[in-house]
Amino acid sequence: MRIGANSGINGLNGIPSKRLLQSNKLDSTLLAEIDPELRARLRSGPNVYRPLLSFRKEQLIATCREYNLNFVEDPSNSDTRYKRNNIREVLDFYLPNWNDSVV
């Protein structure tokens, strides 16, 4: 999908387990009063970590059951208004085991 959006070779990457969340919308008057080193770190933004990416959904659901936790799934994951979900739905229908080789 991203390769079709002119993303180049980076479009072939999956979701990274860690990435920098860039923030260009910080208040400049607030930043002026902060230590320069901290200011530079705030401008570049915090890191976003996704520690559960290496686990299969079934493993996460089973662990939630074991510890009596509710498994919550983002409702947008089944919303077919998003291209990624349309593609996933078609692949699941025609190739039921396609996702096994992706993980």
Side-chain angles (χ1 to χ4, degrees):
M1 288 178 289
R2 287 174 45 202
I3 207 90
N6 297 321
S7 64
I9 195 72
N10 290 331
L12 296 174
N13 292 337
I15 298 172
S17 59
K18 174 187 168 186
R19 81 171 173 91
L20 187 64
L21 182 65
Q22 304 222 335
S23 176
N24 298 326
K25 298 181 180 181
L26 293 173
D27 185 331
S28 59
T29 56
L30 171 70
L31 287 176
E33 300 174 18
I34 296 177
D35 172 63
E37 184 180 319
L38 177 58
R39 184 181 324 137
R41 281 192 281 152
L42 286 173
R43 276 207 176 110
S44 64
N47 284 313
V48 175
Y49 294 93
R50 295 181 181 91
L52 303 177
L53 279 179
S54 62
F55 296 94
R56 297 185 63 83
K57 180 178 178 179
E58 293 80 15
Q59 290 176 290
L60 297 174
I61 292 171
T63 302
C64 285
R65 282 192 191 124
E66 182 181 344
Y67 290 95
N68 201 27
L69 301 170
N70 292 325
F71 179 81
V72 179
E73 188 164 359
D74 183 344
S76 74
N77 287 339
S78 58
D79 189 340
T80 54
R81 289 179 294 177
Y82 298 104
K83 189 184 295 187
R84 69 178 190 270
N85 295 332
N86 281 323
I87 292 170
R88 189 179 305 129
E89 192 173 283
V90 168
L91 286 172
D92 283 344
F93 182 79
Y94 288 106
L95 303 167
N97 299 321
W98 77 273
N99 210 10
D100 293 341
S101 63
V102 175
V103 176

